[in-house]
Amino acid sequence: MRLDTVDQQLINHYQRNLPVCERPYREMADTLGISEDEVISRLAVLQQQQVLSRVGPVFEHSQAGASLLAAVAAPVEQIDLVAARINSAPGVNHNYAREHLYNLWFVMTAPDEDTLDERLDELEHQLKLPILRLPMVEGYHIDLGFDIDWDALP
Amino acid sequence: MSTSTLKSEQARFTDQDRELILATQEGLPLVSDPWGELGRQLGMPADEVLSRFQHMQETGVIRRVAAVPDHYKLGYRYNGMTVWDVSDDAISTMGQQVGDLPFVSHCYRRPRHLPYWSFNLFAMVHGTSREEVEHKAAQIRELLGDTCSGHTILYSSAILKKTGLRLRKQADKP
């Protein structure tokens, strides 16, 4: 997706943090040298095009309960079925197929640690496959985005 | 910012905070006075909305407030989860250094499960091609040096489900 320079700057400046003040969009406008209305309409268009997945708060998962990254090695011929079962299990909010013996990677969440374990035990029982449980032990860089190399994009 | 879980009662949120989370988890209103708009929805003065929001940032309930891009949509079609077997005595230092690389979007230490899984450091790398992901992984490999005894890259082949953290009105309450 080709974006103009102003959209690129909007993302460069505000993909990590935007000002949480009385008039956030006006402050962004002043920084970028455009009007507040233009900031608002550009953000709305980018959101509508799904270039921005959201303009707003990113909540700390650990404070809303427990979560962990989990993986299973699904037999290739059953991968769709296994993936569907994982997706319909309570608390699953991400599920990626990856090219590896462990070919399904998902995030399981729950209100607390005990419920999380129960949900994983239940899913394990349902899938009849062992679940690799990979909770975060230490976070070094937690979902803060990365520098976008606009020239390298198609 | 370094680490991790501020798991504590003090950081737990109030019912009003919860209402505010429910009202903003899809995004802030894109109007000139977003706090006033939220205040009208929630029956709360605008300055209270803003101060609750700021308080949740301070206590870490809100990690950040941002214009979050969808990297796939931008053209980063290759998402490589690079995983590394790093010696236990070096991992905290090296994990921080890998996390500080400008192209790494997430970096975590996770447990090994021997003999099935020997990798304890996870770093997410995005690229417009496999070559780009591999080139970035090579930079991580170089940085880790002798502390690393193995690695692999797991490319995503399909996103089967992706929803952010969502609070639900009743269902998920303990």
Side-chain angles (χ1 to χ4, degrees), chain A residues 15-85:
Chain A
Q15 64 160 327
R16 293 184 176 85
N17 283 292
L18 58 79
V20 178
C21 59
E22 218 171 300
R23 291 282 186 276
Y25 308 121
R26 187 160 72 198
E27 189 168 317
M28 291 162 74
D30 292 345
T31 304
L32 296 174
I34 56 177
S35 71
E36 185 184 24
D37 283 348
E38 191 177 347
V39 169
I40 290 171
S41 64
R42 282 179 180 269
L43 289 174
V45 170
L46 290 171
Q47 206 170 37
Q48 197 191 359
Q49 292 171 333
Q50 296 173 313
V51 169
L52 294 176
S53 58
R54 117 177 73 166
V55 179
V58 177
F59 294 99
E60 174 57 51
H61 295 217
S62 62
Q63 304 228 349
S67 72
L68 61 67
L69 178 69
V72 296
V76 177
E77 67 282 3
Q78 289 175 27
I79 191 164
D80 291 340
L81 178 68
V82 174
R85 286 199 174 139

Side-chain angles (χ1 to χ4, degrees), chain A residues 123-153:
Chain A
L123 182 60
E124 203 162 51
H125 178 75
Q126 216 185 80
L127 298 178
K128 299 182 180 67
L129 291 169
I131 296 177
L132 196 60
R133 302 179 190 202
L134 299 165
M136 180 177 84
V137 177
E138 202 176 357
Y140 308 108
H141 185 128
I142 306 177
D143 184 23
L144 287 171
F146 59 95
D147 295 333
I148 292 164
D149 181 0
W150 298 101
D151 294 333
L153 290 177

Side-chain angles (χ1 to χ4, degrees), chain A residues 14-15 18 21 25 51 53-56 58 60 63 87 93 95 97-99 133-134 137-138 140-141 143, chain B residues 11 28-29 35 61 63-68 70 92 99 107 109-110 113 130 154-155 157-158 160-161 163:
Chain A
Y14 301 110
Q15 64 160 327
L18 58 79
C21 59
Y25 308 121
V51 169
S53 58
R54 117 177 73 166
V55 179
V58 177
E60 174 57 51
Q63 304 228 349
N87 285 352
N93 66 10
N95 188 7
R98 293 190 180 276
E99 298 166 13
R133 302 179 190 202
L134 299 165
V137 177
E138 202 176 357
Y140 308 108
H141 185 128
D143 184 23
Chain B
L28 290 175
W35 317 113
V61 173
R63 205 191 277 163
R64 63 198 177 104
V65 182
V68 184
D70 181 330
S92 286
C107 187
R109 178 180 184 180
R110 299 186 186 279
H113 289 279
R130 270 182 198 249
L154 287 80
Y155 290 98
S157 46
L160 304 169
K161 187 168 190 181
T163 51

Side-chain angles (χ1 to χ4, degrees), chain B residues 4-153:
Chain B
S4 56
T5 41
L6 279 163
K7 228 175 267 177
S8 67
E9 305 79 58
Q10 132 235 331
R12 283 268 170 192
F13 36 83
T14 65
D15 283 349
Q16 284 99 325
D17 291 340
R18 193 182 177 85
E19 289 299 307
L20 189 51
I21 291 173
L22 286 167
T24 57
Q25 60 187 354
E26 310 285 345
L28 290 175
L30 292 174
V31 295
S32 130
D33 180 15
W35 317 113
E37 173 66 30
L38 287 165
R40 276 186 289 282
Q41 287 171 30
L42 302 173
M44 220 186 269
D47 55 355
E48 189 185 334
V49 174
L50 176 56
S51 66
R52 282 189 181 279
F53 214 78
Q54 287 167 333
H55 183 68
M56 283 196 280
Q57 270 192 301
E58 281 155 25
T59 55
V61 173
I62 294 176
R63 205 191 277 163
R64 63 198 177 104
V65 182
V68 184
D70 181 330
H71 294 111
Y72 188 84
K73 200 85 184 175
L74 281 173
Y76 288 100
R77 292 292 144 101
Y78 293 83
N79 156 322
M81 185 170 76
T82 71
V83 295
W84 310 83
D85 179 356
V86 179
S87 66
D88 290 340
D89 52 346
I91 189 160
S92 286
T93 321
M94 296 319 294
Q96 195 59 58
Q97 288 185 34
V98 172
D100 287 343
L101 291 170
F103 55 80
V104 169
S105 69
H106 303 60
C107 187
Y108 303 117
R109 178 180 184 180
R110 299 186 186 279
R112 295 188 177 91
H113 289 279
L114 297 172
Y116 308 104
W117 187 259
S118 58
F119 306 107
N120 56 348
L121 183 68
F122 287 59
M124 201 62 79
V125 171
H126 305 258
T128 55
S129 64
R130 270 182 198 249
E131 292 68 36
E132 188 184 343
V133 173
E134 271 154 32
H135 178 70
K136 288 171 173 171
Q139 293 178 55
I140 298 176
R141 180 70 195 85
E142 202 179 317
L143 180 63
L144 291 173
D146 292 344
T147 67
C148 171
S149 45
H151 83 279
T152 190
I153 305 175

